[in-house]
């Protein structure tokens, strides 16, 4: 009986350590890196795209914000456009948010840095996920695209600013830029043709998809409780296995200890 208890205890310890050894891997999935900012699953990440150095007033624009909805879930009600009135936006596109605006009478002055758009995301899964932008149209007088501008972004995690005035990350994925390319020319340093230096133009092969803002969502982001669920299942599985093994051993030893008639 003493040997049985020792064996049972050893099995339980092995099952426990096996479960614990799995925890660090899952714990790592609890952390995310968003544009270089560290965040945890469940955190609120606030992304702000700023525009500055425009030498003429903006009359119209169409902009796309791309993100990984496996890692981030956008708060649709959080989108704000402090300097623009009557913006039409769409958050229903897979991995993409788009907005457009035009007003020839009430032009927008972005000669000095101002917020173009601000939005909140919830981190729903760990990993590395960047929030990027791509401009299809941005024009001033005579409907010609602007050639002097600077895009920067700010990142806040749970209300605390951790990145400020970084050059905004331009999306260079051909899948996106070929789909959304318009008459505007983007540059890899987030500056314009007239005020950037030693930069490279990022231009898609196709012309703008006029129906892009009405695309429908093709997928849903995963929930933030996946890690907890997996760990719970592992723990329960380890306990069940230990119970089964102990029951088998008990039956074996009971048969062995039963006196023969």
């Amino acid at each position: 009986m003493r040997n049985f208890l020792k064996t049972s205890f050893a099995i339980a310890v092995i099952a426990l350590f096996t479960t614990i050894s799995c925890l660090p891997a899952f714990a790592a999935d609890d952390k995310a890196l968003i544009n270089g900012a560290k965040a945890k699953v469940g955190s609120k990440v606030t992304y702000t795209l700023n525009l500055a150095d425009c030498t003429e007033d903006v009359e119209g624009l169409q902009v796309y914000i791309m993100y990984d909805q496996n890692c981030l879930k956008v708060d649709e009600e959080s989108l704000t456009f402090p300097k623009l009135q009557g913006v039409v936006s769409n958050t229903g596109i897979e991995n993409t948010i788009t907005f457009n605006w035009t007003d020839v009478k009430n032009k927008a002055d972005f000669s000095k840095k101002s917020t173009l758009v601000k939005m909140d995301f919830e981190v729903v899964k760990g990993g590395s996920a960047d929030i990027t932008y791509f401009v299809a149209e941005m024009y001033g007088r005579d409907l010609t695209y602007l050639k002097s501008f600077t895009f920067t972004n700010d990142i806040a995690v749970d209300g605390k600013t951790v990145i400020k005035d970084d050059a905004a990350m331009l999306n260079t994925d051909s899948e996106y830029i070929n789909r959304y390319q318009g008459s505007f020319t983007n540059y890899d340093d987030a500056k314009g043709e007239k005020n950037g230096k030693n930069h490279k133009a990022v231009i898609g092969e196709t012309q703008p998809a006029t129906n892009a803002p009405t695309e429908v969502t093709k997928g849903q982001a995963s929930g933030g409780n996946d890690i907890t669920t997996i760990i719970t299942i592992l723990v329960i599985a380890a306990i069940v296995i230990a119970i089964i093994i102990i029951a088998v051993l008990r039956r074996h030893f009971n048969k062995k200890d039963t006196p023969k008639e």
Side-chain angles (χ1 to χ4, degrees):
M1 187 64 179
R2 182 178 297 176
N3 290 335
F4 167 73
L5 292 175
K6 287 182 179 180
T7 303
S8 300
F9 178 75
I11 292 171
V13 170
I14 291 172
L16 180 61
F17 274 100
T18 300
T19 302
I20 292 175
S21 67
C22 296
L23 297 183
F26 289 106
D29 288 340
D30 186 51
K31 301 182 184 300
L33 195 64
I34 313 298
N35 292 45
K38 296 179 180 179
K40 293 183 178 180
V41 171
S43 293
K44 181 179 78 172
V45 173
T46 302
Y47 173 80
T48 303
L49 182 65
N50 307 302
L51 177 59
D53 301 329
C54 294
T55 53
E56 57 182 286
D57 291 343
V58 179
E59 291 188 5
L61 51 78
Q62 175 146 356
V63 181
Y64 296 87
I65 305 296
M66 290 81 160
Y67 66 102
D68 183 355
Q69 72 182 59
N70 289 319
C71 294
L72 298 170
K73 180 181 180 182
V74 65
D75 178 358
E76 298 179 4
E77 301 299 321
S78 69
L79 267 72
T80 54
F81 309 89
K83 298 204 68 169
L84 307 177
Q85 299 294 326
V87 175
V88 177
S89 62
N90 186 357
T91 59
I93 308 173
E94 184 178 16
N95 297 318
T96 305
I97 299 163
T98 183
F99 61 92
N100 59 71
W101 167 87
T102 184
D103 192 334
V104 296
K105 293 184 178 180
N106 300 297
K107 304 173 186 178
D109 179 7
F110 284 98
S111 57
K112 296 182 179 179
K113 190 188 82 168
S114 300
T115 297
L116 178 61
V117 61
K118 185 176 182 180
M119 65 196 72
D120 295 332
F121 295 89
E122 177 189 357
V123 180
V124 296
K125 186 179 180 181
S128 180
D130 292 329
I131 304 171
T132 60
Y133 80 98
F134 189 81
V135 180
E137 305 288 347
M138 188 166 72
Y139 49 86
R141 60 177 178 270
D142 301 325
L143 301 181
T144 56
Y145 76 88
L146 299 184
K147 297 178 177 63
S148 179
F149 57 86
T150 300
F151 284 103
T152 59
N153 67 239
D154 305 330
I155 301 288
V157 179
D158 292 328
K160 181 179 180 180
T161 300
V162 292
I163 293 177
K164 189 171 181 63
D165 292 334
D166 262 15
M169 298 181 67
L170 178 68
N171 193 297
T172 59
D173 188 330
S174 59
E175 177 186 352
Y176 289 105
I177 66 176
N178 288 342
R179 184 188 308 168
Y180 299 131
Q181 179 63 50
S183 62
F184 185 82
T185 302
N186 293 276
Y187 289 87
D188 58 1
D189 62 352
K191 291 180 178 292
E193 176 183 327
K194 294 289 184 67
N195 65 318
K197 295 181 179 180
N198 301 320
H199 56 193
K200 180 181 178 182
V202 178
I203 304 173
E205 295 180 353
T206 60
Q207 290 304 306
T210 55
N211 294 328
T214 61
E215 293 181 24
V216 297
T217 303
K218 297 178 182 177
Q220 298 294 330
S222 58
N225 295 322
D226 291 348
I227 296 172
T228 303
T229 302
I230 293 172
I231 293 174
T232 302
I233 292 173
L234 280 174
V235 173
I236 293 174
I239 293 173
V240 170
I241 292 171
I243 291 172
I244 292 173
I245 293 174
I246 291 172
V248 171
L249 289 174
R250 183 183 296 239
R251 176 180 291 184
H252 172 74
F253 282 105
N254 284 343
K255 286 184 179 180
K256 190 172 181 180
D257 294 340
T258 301
K260 297 182 180 179
E261 295 181 359

